Amino acid sequence: NAGVTQTPKFQVLKTGQSMTLQCAQDMNHEYMSWYRQDPGMGLRLIHYSVGAGITDQGEVPNGYNVSRSTTEDFPLRLLSAAPSQTSVYFCASSYSPSGSSYNEQFFGPGTRLTVL
Amino acid sequence: AQSVAQPEDQVNVAEGNPLTVKCTYSVSGNPYLFWYVQYPNRGLQFLLKYITGDNLVKGSYGFEAEFNKSQTSFHLKKPSALVSDSALYFCAVRDGGGTGFQKLVFGTGTRLLVSP
């Protein structure tokens, strides 16, 4: 199993450009999520999905769009990049076993994005 | 709102010495607490969790954490540090209840540096 994969690893954008960060998982997990990591702020949830066709907003959703057409893929779109979106982005996936009240999250290696 | 605090930006310890990385929490209801580790240029990896039961929780790589309800703390510990333990450590708390996808609220992270 490759686990959670993310592409690209690095990206530099100009203000106003758009791009899509790719995330895929091969563990058949129901849940997928996107976080951004900024110095001194830990990880903050951007968007998440509890299954194909179902997405919801997290703590910092503005400026980002997501969709979930398959169980495996959960791309994050920046429609018009801004310098404030310079960050490291992590995708994560998880499942909930029957009867469990906790599901460990598995993280991808991250995408380092710089917006000039 | 649920929150965790990591009061130390960095912890320095010599190899072979015991280490402690501190975390305090603020929750309404019973806390579900976690520790994740991030090695350089990698995504986060799950170390251990406290849901209920014994106050001393054992996790991966020889780490353990002590849950203290009266002090609202969940400190990460290891009896003998290794240079390879040098990494960024995040404490997290579950936000919300029930089953299914659970949002995690992360602390700001503590960098552990183990010197030879």
Side-chain angles (χ1 to χ4, degrees):
Chain A
N1 285 352
V4 180
T5 58
Q6 292 183 237
T7 56
K9 290 185 178 180
F10 302 94
Q11 184 70 50
V12 178
L13 293 178
K14 294 181 180 179
T15 298
Q17 287 185 315
S18 63
M19 79 159 296
T20 299
L21 280 63
Q22 302 291 344
C23 174
Q25 53 94 6
D26 62 358
M27 296 173 283
N28 201 32
H29 285 170
E30 298 172 80
Y31 310 129
M32 297 186 74
S33 50
W34 277 101
Y35 294 86
R36 59 177 290 172
Q37 183 182 24
D38 301 294
M41 300 189 73
L43 276 76
R44 292 180 292 169
L45 181 65
I46 304 172
H47 286 285
Y48 65 97
S49 169
V50 298
I54 306 170
T55 64
D56 205 347
Q57 296 181 351
E59 180 185 356
V60 287
N62 293 341
Y64 307 96
N65 278 356
V66 292
S67 60
R68 183 106 177 264
S69 57
T70 67
T71 298
E72 295 78 19
D73 300 301
F74 189 44
L76 178 72
R77 297 182 184 86
L78 282 70
L79 301 179
S80 179
S84 61
Q85 294 178 304
T86 294
S87 186
V88 181
Y89 291 84
F90 290 100
C91 179
S93 72
S94 58
Y95 67 99
S96 182
S98 177
S100 172
S101 61
Y102 168 70
N103 43 346
E104 169 193 347
Q105 298 197 34
F106 294 81
F107 285 81
T111 295
R112 185 174 295 274
L113 175 68
T114 301
V115 183
L116 303 175
Chain B
Q2 322 289 53
S3 66
V4 290
Q6 295 181 245
E8 302 157 316
D9 290 335
Q10 182 164 314
V11 170
N12 298 305
V13 64
E15 188 173 35
N17 284 357
L19 68 88
T20 298
V21 182
K22 296 179 180 178
C23 174
T24 58
Y25 65 89
S26 174
V27 303
S28 55
N30 294 323
Y32 283 34
L33 297 160
F34 313 93
W35 277 101
Y36 280 80
V37 60
Q38 183 180 27
Y39 297 102
N41 301 313
R42 302 282 297 276
L44 277 69
Q45 297 178 29
F46 171 77
L47 273 180
L48 52 80
K49 65 178 185 281
Y50 173 83
I51 304 297
T52 187
D54 291 340
N55 290 341
L56 187 63
V57 178
K58 294 190 182 297
S60 306
Y61 312 121
F63 283 93
E64 57 190 25
E66 185 173 10
F67 173 73
N68 188 315
K69 188 173 183 178
S70 62
Q71 297 184 5
T72 62
S73 66
F74 188 56
H75 300 334
L76 181 70
K77 299 182 179 184
K78 188 174 183 182
S80 179
L82 299 173
V83 172
S84 57
D85 292 330
S86 297
L88 188 57
Y89 291 81
F90 289 97
C91 182
V93 63
R94 187 186 74 170
D95 187 15
T99 58
F101 182 83
Q102 288 135 26
K103 301 174 187 178
L104 291 181
V105 176
F106 286 88
T108 53
T110 298
R111 187 165 302 280
L112 174 66
L113 183 59
V114 182
S115 55

